[in-house]
Amino acid sequence: MGKPTTSTLQKFITHLIIEQTTLRSNSRMYREFKHLHLPSIDAEIRQFWEDERIFERSVEQRPADQSFVFYEGPPSANGKPGIHHVISRTVKDLFCRYHTLKGKRVERKGGWDTHGLPIELQVEKELGITKEDIGKKVTVEEYNQACRSTVMRYKDLWDDLTRRMGYWVDLDNPYITFKNEYIESCWWLLQQLYNKKTAAGEPFLYKGFTIQPFSPAAGTGLSTHELNMPGTYKDVTDITVVAMFKVRYTAASGFLFDDTEEDLRILAWTTTPWTLPSNVALTVGPDIEYAKVKTLSPYTGSPVSVILAKDRLSAYFNPEDENQPFEDFAPGDKKLPYRVIRADIRGAELSGVPFEQLLPSPEIVTPELEEKGFRVITGDFVTTEDGTGVVHTAPYFGADDFRACKAAGVPFIGVPNPQNPDLPAPLVDRTGRFVQEVPLFGGRFVKEEYYHEEERRAPDFKPTDLLIALHLKEQNRAFRIEKYKHTYPHCWRTDKPVLYYPLDSWFIRASAARERMAALNKTINWKPASTGTGRFGQWLENLQDWNLSRSRYWGVPLPIWRTEDGEEELCVGSVEELRREADKAVAAGMMDTNPFTGSIETGFDLHRPYIDDVVLVSPSGKPMRREADLIDVWFDSGSMPYAQWHYPFENQEVFKNNYPADFIAEGVDQTRGWFYTLHAIATMVFDSVAYKNVVSNGLVLDKSGNKMSKSKGNVVDPFQTLEDYGADATRWYMMSNANPWDNLKFDQGGILEARNKLFGTLFNTYNFFALYANLDGFKMDEFKVLPYAQRAELDRWIISKLYSLVADFRAALDDYEPTKACRALEEFVDEHLSNWYVRLSRRRFWKGEMNEDKTAAYQTLFECLTVVGQLMSPVAPFFSDWLYRNLTAPVKEVAKAKNTPLRHDSVHLTDLVMPDNSKVDKALERRMDHAQRICSLALSIRKKEKLRVRLPLQKMLLPVLDATFIAEVDAVKSLILSEINVKQIEYVTDASGLLKKGAKANFKTLGAKLGKDMKEAAALIAAFSNEEINALEKTGSVQLSVNGASYDITPEDLIITTEDLPGWKVAVEGALTVALDVTLTPELVAEGMARDLVNRIQNIRKDKDFNVTDRVKVVVEPHEAIRPAVETFHDYIKAEVLASDLVLAEPSDGEAVELDGGVTVRVDVQVN
RNA sequence: AGGGCUAUAGCUCAGUUGGUUAGAGCGCUACACUGAUAAUGUAGAGGUCACCAGUUCAACUCUGGUUAGCCCUACCA
């Protein structure tokens, strides 16, 4: 992979040979080529760039104070690059190149993301170990070393892709996140946050407590990344319980009771019965309606009233059983009679209703909990999708529960915690067992999967969930017990279920900067805008604090040292500070030596495990140990604007010139990743945006819209793609097919289309230019440029189109709309330049001697090609440079000597052409558009009448549309006549009486005037006769009565068309009508035949590979059908085919050619 | 579950502030043109603009809802 195949090399060699032949013959000529082979062009240009340091020069030649700042989001080099990296890097590259052309200095420092779980996983896989083996089977030092060598595993592959796709980024001085300097900058940022206080006086960096996924079997917390690994979410069947919480009769709950003795319960469902001993509250939705139902306890038959959401009644009660006699029920019966007492209790009313603890644990419950807990609270997260609309709430085992209890002031339940007197320890320990204090179940694993296999297989084994359910049933506190299948996350390593468990973590108080982040976000230009306002904006509105802690080895260590009691704490913000603290510690006898005496580059390693050996001393003389956590790798990447320059320790000036970024681009999946962490750190530490413009590109899917994955085998190899089609066609396809923020259905057919359509057409156009320029000895002379005014209409038209394109193209890229820019350029090259300008100009190039008109044609085409090449160069950097160099090579020396615009070695060193309104002539563009439409209509008539284009026709009739029409058409008359092969144009006016007119309502102007009468008016107008239309045109107004109302109609309210010229062959498009005189005379037929003969002879010349300039002898077999043609147009034919002799005679040799009317004659063409 | 994006011809995509007959390229069919030949033109076939309601004289376009695909986030008890 990635290496040139033999066939490519051969093609390349062939390519070079062709080129050398050309060069040898005349080194000052334009290079000509047989075939277009983009990968060969890539190779040639790539070599040229490296030899001539074009990238470096493109940056250096721009002034340092004119910077356009770009940040590279660091990829991780421990995985191979994929095709999706090509699209995001194309986006990055093209805007950087574009702004370089506009004169900006665009530094592009590369970077590598080197920390994080994927690297740890890979290392463990390669060493054949698991996390538990770290420190046992391998030392942490060895582990650290292995990580170091793994992170750059595929760096060469990445660098290769970077070069092959033409992505210009500084590969020699990248920032690397594992370097001490980088880590030091991260520490500095963390210290800023640590010292900075919110408006409420709280530090931005704090230690807190949250509910996180935790694997007791592995004894570690899990990141969301780990939870998103394949196979972690599994279908499991759990025992679920609908528990009955007995309501206490108090002032707050009295309104619910019929009498003080009533047995009133609230129903709540849980899929994790093991959390019931930890229940301290029930959460209801404030706006959900709840019902009170009188019924019987299903398992005991005792009378009971229950409360649950009105919408959930049908899940627990069958309407058939409503109001059935209670006496008939026996415990265990399926039919449970019930009576709805009321169904209008809003959740908010239930708030504060107290209940008895479900599983009493008097030893554990504190007086504070007794007072503030065991009551109903409200929460927005409650739904009535399933369960009872009441959520059993155990704060230590659910993130929602935790938040709800905190918000409602409900204390947590737990046992005394030696580490933290303020927060009780949960009732489940870190191995997954109930603590001993839990009545009945103390010491049991909460999930059956945590027991050993043998224990689980024992005949009398019962899972804890089941034991709890059965206990509740006995106690008349269970309403329903059933199995329930759902998905539940599992630890990817142990395969055992995850618990949600309270863990200590360090947080960044991002929620305190929520408004500021939202406000700054509004100043960022998002592409597409919806990602900024939608996905990102709404995420900011609901921002939670950022959990920084990770229990890992390979990452940036949290620079916080604490005494054991947590009373004293130090956040270190630099190596220098750490060095000083270490000196103090050594002096105090905490450490033997100071590990940080060496240089930051090589003297020490700030990673674990080394950093863990550093014991500092507190002001009061106690030892301080480092908080064991590492920080989230996303903090690493969000720190890159500062850390890439080792700010603030070095490069303060550089940083100032390169902050914030003008532009960044990554995949849309980075919205809450890199885009967020950049924004968060910039807002909190610098009160600034980190970037002003951001393009988020979509995913690359396969041809059928499926995600690419190794298992599906639909992964596209980027190296192979670049190898097969070349970088430019691939890049162009990716930018032009769809907006980069839409998902791309990657189809190689699309690349082929880009290659044929755009690059093939441009290649042909260039080759056409080179062929004739070399024949005529034309060379662009920048000092003898013909003024536009002296050039042909067609030249001025294409120049006008070209500068319209320049304006459109620049506007699109200035607005970060690459797709619009690409499509505009494609249209210009294909529709205008190739299919109109070159096609109609061909004759000017190959006919006759050099003269002013011919020079004008060359200069015009030259200008189009150079400008197009320059415009497309940000997207197609190789082909455009190849084109530029081919076009400028013959004049390069002169241009350099005279310091003219063509002097640059590479298109990427040029200054982008400025929009120039003086070159744009919209009126000219409009009349050429007329010409094109007239030709199109005329050709369609020919087609319908089966009149081939080589057969000349006498006359075309054009009804005159308005005052300027004749002048407009006359200006382009000769083009029209030769294009459609007609002798003359005749204009027809009303006065001729030939025209049959029609009228249509102009809905836009009439709609506002007529309103409801619009429909009928349109019908009336459509029925207007010639006379009525003429009358309106003459008087300028007419009255139209519709449904009794009368309206004043003006000519603007109608669209008048010529429908027909009776007796003529007519084609109509919109207002434009074309009629052809299809009468054939012997003269016309002979001329047509002469042109056919010319065509056949030219084909023979081409087949025989004659040189374009060879003169020939032609012998044509005599035939009655062609005799008039050969006789009348003898000189014409000779001139066209460069024949010295043309005779009608029996040829001795030659080919049989077929002519109109099934005539076949033999023609012999020989070089003189 | 929440949020976001997308839905127009067989395929890839345009479609301006609502306005008449919804377009282009590729592919298919037929016929042309060409001293640019891995191109090009003309014509044809191919559409209930995902679905349902609403606003309006008029909806692909605006509003609300539904469905499907994808992405991000999420222990739904």
Side-chain angles (χ1 to χ4, degrees):
Chain A
M1 190 167 75
K3 298 270 178 278
T5 60
T6 322
S7 75
T8 310
L9 278 178
Q10 275 166 356
K11 277 181 208 160
F12 181 43
I13 290 162
T14 322
H15 167 85
L16 286 178
I17 292 169
I18 295 167
E19 176 195 337
Q20 277 166 4
T21 335
T22 317
L23 287 176
R24 233 193 335 266
S25 60
N26 184 345
S27 65
R28 284 181 302 170
M29 284 169 50
Y30 295 96
R31 290 160 76 193
E32 293 171 36
F33 299 85
K34 289 259 181 243
H35 297 289
L36 173 64
H37 188 241
L38 290 171
S40 307
I41 291 177
D42 287 1
E44 175 190 327
I45 297 298
R46 194 160 58 235
Q47 191 62 51
F48 160 70
W49 288 347
E50 277 167 30
D51 293 346
E52 300 288 327
R53 298 181 57 252
I54 300 298
F55 170 41
E56 292 79 0
R57 286 163 59 192
S58 78
V59 177
E60 289 159 6
Q61 73 171 15
R62 305 300 186 187
D65 59 352
Q66 287 291 306
S67 59
F68 176 82
V69 182
F70 164 72
Y71 291 158
E72 164 76 333
S76 179
N78 79 315
K80 294 181 186 177
I83 192 77
H84 55 290
H85 294 111
V86 177
I87 190 171
S88 59
R89 302 174 121 212
T90 300
V91 173
K92 296 178 191 182
D93 191 50
L94 88 91
F95 288 109
C96 288
R97 286 180 188 267
Y98 174 67
H99 285 276
T100 300
L101 288 181
K102 285 180 77 175
K104 299 288 188 180
R105 189 183 183 107
V106 190
E107 309 264 7
R108 289 95 127 176
K109 197 174 175 66
W112 296 107
D113 183 19
T114 58
H115 284 145
L117 187 72
I119 290 144
E120 293 192 20
L121 294 182
Q122 187 152 346
V123 165
E124 285 157 30
K125 202 165 134 198
E126 280 158 24
L127 295 178
I129 59 165
T130 66
K131 279 257 152 49
E132 291 88 75
D133 299 328
I134 301 171
K136 296 174 194 158
K137 283 189 194 163
V138 300
T139 65
V140 187
E141 286 88 344
E142 286 166 339
Y143 184 82
N144 176 304
Q145 278 310 316
C147 288
R148 238 162 229 281
S149 56
T150 301
V151 290
M152 291 303 190
R153 159 95 22 108
Y154 294 113
K155 179 176 183 296
D156 290 347
L157 212 52
W158 278 88
D159 287 353
D160 191 39
L161 181 79
T162 303
R163 277 189 277 265
R164 276 172 192 278
M165 67 169 288
Y167 177 36
W168 273 358
V169 63
D170 183 358
L171 294 172
D172 300 325
N173 309 292
Y175 63 92
I176 298 172
T177 59
F178 75 56
K179 294 247 172 124
N180 283 341
E181 293 91 327
Y182 197 96
I183 293 173
E184 188 181 27
S185 289
C186 290
W187 281 9
W188 180 81
L189 290 168
L190 288 168
Q191 193 190 46
Q192 297 294 308
L193 291 167
Y194 184 87
N195 292 333
K196 193 166 182 170
K197 300 282 190 292
T198 65
E202 295 167 315
F204 269 90
L205 183 62
Y206 69 98
K207 190 168 189 175
F209 196 65
T210 52
I211 311 306
Q212 297 166 40
F214 176 79
S215 171
T220 174
L222 298 172
S223 67
T224 45
H225 176 126
E226 286 165 299
L227 279 188
N228 281 324
M229 302 225 303
T232 48
Y233 280 87
K234 293 183 198 212
D235 274 338
V236 291
T237 305
D238 275 326
I239 290 160
T240 68
V241 178
V242 175
M244 302 197 289
F245 292 79
K246 191 167 167 64
V247 180
R248 284 164 52 206
Y249 186 95
T250 65
S253 63
F255 74 102
L256 290 167
F257 286 81
D258 292 351
D259 56 76
T260 56
E261 295 307 307
E262 186 179 17
D263 187 358
L264 178 64
R265 315 284 187 111
I266 298 173
L267 299 186
W269 182 58
T270 181
T271 57
T272 53
W274 62 269
T275 60
L276 288 170
S278 303
N279 173 277
V280 292
L282 292 170
T283 309
V284 296
D287 299 320
I288 296 172
E289 284 194 317
Y290 291 86
K292 175 179 169 184
V293 177
K294 249 192 193 349
T295 183
L296 299 167
S297 173
Y299 294 114
T300 65
S302 61
V304 68
S305 300
V306 297
I307 290 174
L308 72 162
K310 188 174 84 178
D311 291 348
R312 298 302 299 164
L313 279 173
S314 59
Y316 297 94
F317 299 99
N318 186 337
E320 288 176 14
D321 303 329
E322 189 167 7
N323 300 325
Q324 294 301 307
F326 283 26
E327 307 82 60
D328 300 349
F329 181 78
D333 279 358
K334 292 265 189 270
K335 290 174 180 296
L336 183 65
Y338 72 99
R339 197 143 47 81
V340 177
I341 304 298
R342 52 187 291 198
D344 59 349
I345 314 167
R346 283 185 61 250
E349 296 176 63
L350 289 171
S351 177
V353 167
F355 58 86
E356 291 176 11
Q357 190 183 11
L358 186 71
L359 290 161
S361 51
E363 303 292 317
I364 297 172
V365 174
T366 61
E368 193 203 4
L369 178 57
E370 192 66 61
E371 185 200 330
K372 297 182 186 163
F374 306 117
R375 57 188 175 91
V376 175
I377 59 178
T378 57
D380 292 333
F381 60 93
V382 180
T383 69
T384 54
E385 296 288 308
D386 48 18
T388 61
V390 181
V391 176
H392 139 63
T393 305
Y396 275 163
F397 304 111
D400 281 339
D401 305 34
F402 184 79
R403 276 196 292 272
C405 285
K406 255 174 99 168
V410 174
F412 308 146
I413 189 170
V415 292
N417 184 352
Q419 256 116 50
N420 188 344
D422 300 333
L423 274 176
L427 296 182
V428 177
D429 68 19
R430 290 172 79 101
T431 64
R433 288 174 200 258
F434 279 122
V435 297
Q436 290 303 330
E437 289 87 337
V438 174
L440 304 169
F441 308 107
R444 288 197 63 87
F445 282 113
V446 298
K447 284 273 178 191
E448 61 168 311
E449 290 86 350
Y450 300 158
Y451 282 98
H452 284 296
E453 275 302 304
E454 305 91 79
E455 287 177 272
R456 288 177 70 181
R457 272 200 299 266
D460 56 346
F461 175 82
K462 288 200 176 74
T464 306
D465 280 344
L466 182 59
L467 290 174
I468 292 171
L470 294 174
H471 176 73
L472 289 174
K473 188 168 154 185
E474 278 168 24
Q475 299 290 310
N476 190 28
R477 290 183 172 181
F479 185 78
R480 187 179 286 186
I481 299 171
E482 60 190 354
K483 291 195 172 167
Y484 177 76
K485 201 170 150 187
H486 63 145
T487 57
Y488 193 83
H490 287 66
C491 170
W492 57 275
R493 199 164 58 229
T494 61
D495 229 20
K496 293 186 190 281
V498 157
L499 296 185
Y500 286 85
Y501 197 83
L503 295 173
D504 271 335
S505 289
W506 285 86
F507 288 88
I508 292 178
R509 207 178 298 277
S511 57
R514 192 182 291 146
E515 280 79 30
R516 189 60 189 147
M517 283 196 221
L520 285 170
N521 181 43
K522 294 207 170 77
T523 69
I524 297 172
N525 177 31
W526 280 84
K527 283 289 172 174
S530 59
T531 301
T533 54
R535 190 186 280 207
F536 195 65
Q538 289 179 9
W539 151 263
L540 289 181
E541 277 168 29
N542 301 310
L543 203 60
Q544 303 292 319
D545 285 351
W546 179 359
N547 184 349
L548 267 190
S549 294
R550 297 292 183 272
S551 317
R552 307 200 185 288
Y553 294 89
W554 183 241
V556 175
L558 196 63
I560 296 175
W561 276 260
R562 270 193 157 195
T563 55
E564 187 158 8
D565 57 12
E567 293 291 307
E568 294 168 274
E569 194 174 273
L570 177 70
C571 178
V572 173
S574 70
V575 168
E576 182 50 41
E577 186 180 354
L578 184 59
R579 198 175 279 145
R580 282 200 311 269
E581 291 298 327
D583 276 339
K584 279 196 246 166
V586 171
M590 299 295 172
M591 288 189 294
D592 294 336
T593 55
N594 184 339
F596 304 107
T597 51
S599 78
I600 190 169
E601 289 85 9
T602 54
F604 46 86
D605 182 353
L606 294 177
H607 284 96
R608 297 182 74 185
Y610 317 102
I611 197 73
D612 295 339
D613 297 336
V614 176
V615 181
L616 301 180
V617 61
S618 76
S620 70
K622 285 189 243 169
M624 294 197 292
R625 294 188 179 278
R626 198 184 68 82
E627 290 285 285
D629 295 330
L630 300 182
I631 61 164
D632 184 4
V633 289
W634 285 114
F635 193 91
D636 296 20
S637 49
S639 306
M640 65 70 63
Y642 329 96
Q644 69 171 339
W645 302 111
H646 194 202
Y647 179 86
F649 307 102
E650 290 180 71
N651 298 315
Q652 303 221 10
E653 265 310 297
V654 180
F655 172 74
K656 236 165 80 193
N657 284 333
N658 286 283
Y659 186 85
D662 288 299
F663 163 66
I664 61 171
E666 296 293 331
V668 68
D669 52 338
Q670 292 294 345
T671 305
R672 291 175 192 180
W674 196 51
F675 295 157
Y676 169 65
T677 58
L678 278 176
H679 189 63
I681 294 173
T683 303
M684 288 186 285
V685 180
F686 291 88
D687 193 35
S688 161
V689 295
Y691 45 87
K692 296 177 191 164
N693 298 284
V694 50
V695 176
S696 68
N697 60 272
L699 272 79
V700 181
L701 308 171
D702 78 1
K703 199 178 164 173
S704 335
N706 297 310
K707 206 175 169 176
M708 289 187 187
S709 71
K710 275 182 194 143
S711 56
K712 278 186 202 150
N714 59 352
V715 177
V716 174
D717 177 2
F719 294 96
Q720 194 59 52
T721 305
L722 296 177
E723 188 70 42
D724 292 342
Y725 306 100
D728 287 342
T730 308
R731 290 168 62 125
W732 193 272
Y733 160 66
M734 286 178 156
M735 291 303 105
S736 65
N737 184 69
N739 285 318
W741 38 88
D742 291 331
N743 289 346
L744 175 69
K745 290 182 195 161
F746 186 86
D747 180 6
Q748 312 207 330
I751 307 179
L752 217 57
E753 200 178 316
R755 189 192 67 184
N756 290 346
K757 188 124 196 123
L758 178 69
F759 296 99
T761 305
L762 261 180
F763 171 84
N764 281 338
T765 306
Y766 166 76
N767 245 7
F768 173 84
F769 168 83
L771 173 70
Y772 291 109
N774 287 339
L775 284 176
D776 283 326
F778 168 82
K779 274 201 301 186
M780 188 63 198
D781 184 342
E782 291 171 273
F783 294 92
K784 286 187 188 159
V785 178
L786 270 178
Y788 294 119
Q790 290 176 28
R791 301 194 199 182
E793 177 93 351
L794 194 59
D795 294 335
R796 284 185 286 112
W797 170 77
I798 194 70
I799 292 292
S800 174
K801 278 287 185 191
L802 180 68
Y803 282 87
S804 293
L805 172 70
V806 169
D808 293 347
F809 195 90
R810 290 179 65 125
L813 285 193
D814 284 339
D815 195 25
Y816 294 91
E817 292 274 358
T819 309
K820 278 188 185 155
C822 289
R823 287 178 179 172
L825 188 134
E826 274 176 357
E827 191 191 342
F828 174 82
V829 168
D830 188 49
E831 296 286 313
H832 305 315
L833 183 61
S834 172
N835 282 323
W836 194 251
Y837 180 73
V838 175
R839 194 156 59 86
L840 265 55
S841 298
R842 268 192 321 251
R843 220 177 157 75
R844 296 167 69 196
F845 288 97
W846 61 267
K847 208 56 191 173
E849 300 303 309
M850 274 300 275
N851 56 21
E852 194 171 85
D853 178 62
K854 208 166 180 177
T855 305
Y858 279 122
Q859 289 186 344
T860 302
L861 185 53
F862 182 91
E863 182 169 1
C864 288
L865 285 170
T866 47
V867 170
V868 163
Q870 195 188 31
L871 289 179
M872 75 193 289
S873 70
V875 184
F878 293 104
F879 181 86
S880 57
D881 213 8
W882 173 89
L883 181 64
Y884 174 82
R885 286 166 52 71
N886 289 339
L887 286 167
T888 57
V891 297
K892 185 67 77 194
E893 276 172 37
V894 178
K896 277 190 173 177
K898 298 189 177 172
N899 203 30
T900 69
L902 297 181
R903 70 187 180 280
H904 300 284
D905 288 326
S906 161
V907 73
H908 304 291
L909 299 176
T910 58
D911 296 308
L912 187 62
V913 58
M914 297 296 285
D916 185 348
N917 276 332
S918 72
K919 295 176 182 172
V920 176
D921 182 346
K922 289 290 172 198
L924 171 55
E925 291 187 26
R926 200 169 47 245
R927 56 182 183 265
M928 194 61 80
D929 182 60
H930 264 134
Q932 289 176 332
R933 283 162 61 199
I934 289 167
C935 289
S936 170
L937 287 171
L939 289 170
S940 82
I941 298 172
R942 278 182 170 275
K943 159 76 189 155
K944 207 177 289 164
E945 302 301 320
K946 293 194 191 307
L947 295 165
R948 64 192 198 281
V949 180
R950 270 191 295 263
L951 180 66
L953 295 175
Q954 196 55 48
K955 204 161 52 171
M956 174 164 71
L957 260 58
L958 290 177
V960 176
L961 296 180
D962 52 51
T964 59
F965 184 79
I966 293 178
E968 283 194 351
V969 175
D970 266 345
V972 290
K973 187 172 169 179
S974 61
L975 293 174
I976 296 172
L977 292 179
S978 77
E979 178 66 9
I980 59 174
N981 197 14
V982 169
K983 300 284 179 196
Q984 65 184 98
I985 291 179
E986 200 175 298
Y987 299 102
V988 197
T989 57
D990 273 356
S992 69
L994 283 175
L995 304 178
K996 182 172 181 302
K997 287 186 183 176
K1000 272 184 183 172
N1002 181 353
F1003 278 69
K1004 213 162 193 170
T1005 62
L1006 276 178
K1009 248 193 255 181
L1010 300 190
K1012 278 193 205 309
D1013 294 329
M1014 187 66 223
K1015 239 176 205 163
E1016 282 152 69
L1020 290 173
I1021 290 167
F1024 272 11
S1025 68
N1026 254 22
E1027 288 69 36
E1028 282 170 295
I1029 296 169
N1030 285 337
L1032 173 61
E1033 285 186 316
K1034 216 164 276 168
T1035 61
S1037 137
V1038 79
Q1039 292 295 311
L1040 186 71
S1041 61
V1042 187
N1043 290 339
S1046 185
Y1047 298 99
D1048 192 32
I1049 308 287
T1050 62
E1052 290 75 50
D1053 293 330
L1054 298 190
I1055 298 163
I1056 297 164
T1057 56
T1058 307
E1059 286 181 332
D1060 201 7
L1061 280 97
W1064 291 70
K1065 300 297 175 192
V1066 173
V1068 182
E1069 185 207 321
L1072 199 61
T1073 305
V1074 169
L1076 275 187
D1077 177 0
V1078 297
T1079 325
L1080 290 176
T1081 62
E1083 177 85 344
L1084 291 172
V1085 171
E1087 187 180 341
M1089 187 60 87
R1091 293 181 64 143
D1092 284 337
L1093 262 176
V1094 168
N1095 168 251
R1096 303 303 189 273
I1097 296 166
Q1098 300 285 35
N1099 285 344
I1100 293 169
R1101 288 182 60 114
K1102 205 161 70 166
D1103 287 345
K1104 293 193 166 178
D1105 246 357
F1106 292 172
N1107 277 328
V1108 177
T1109 46
D1110 288 340
R1111 300 199 77 83
V1112 292
K1113 276 185 179 166
V1114 180
V1115 182
V1116 183
E1117 181 185 351
H1119 189 290
E1120 276 319 303
I1122 63 168
R1123 187 174 301 279
V1126 174
E1127 282 167 0
T1128 319
F1129 296 95
H1130 192 257
D1131 292 343
Y1132 163 78
I1133 297 171
K1134 274 171 67 179
E1136 287 295 307
V1137 303
L1138 294 184
S1140 52
D1141 287 306
L1142 169 65
V1143 290
L1144 277 176
E1146 208 53 51
S1148 52
D1149 199 0
E1151 4 266 303
V1153 298
E1154 206 174 313
L1155 293 164
D1156 189 53
V1159 178
T1160 303
V1161 293
R1162 287 201 307 140
V1163 179
D1164 184 30
V1165 184
Q1166 298 290 341
V1167 180
N1168 266 2

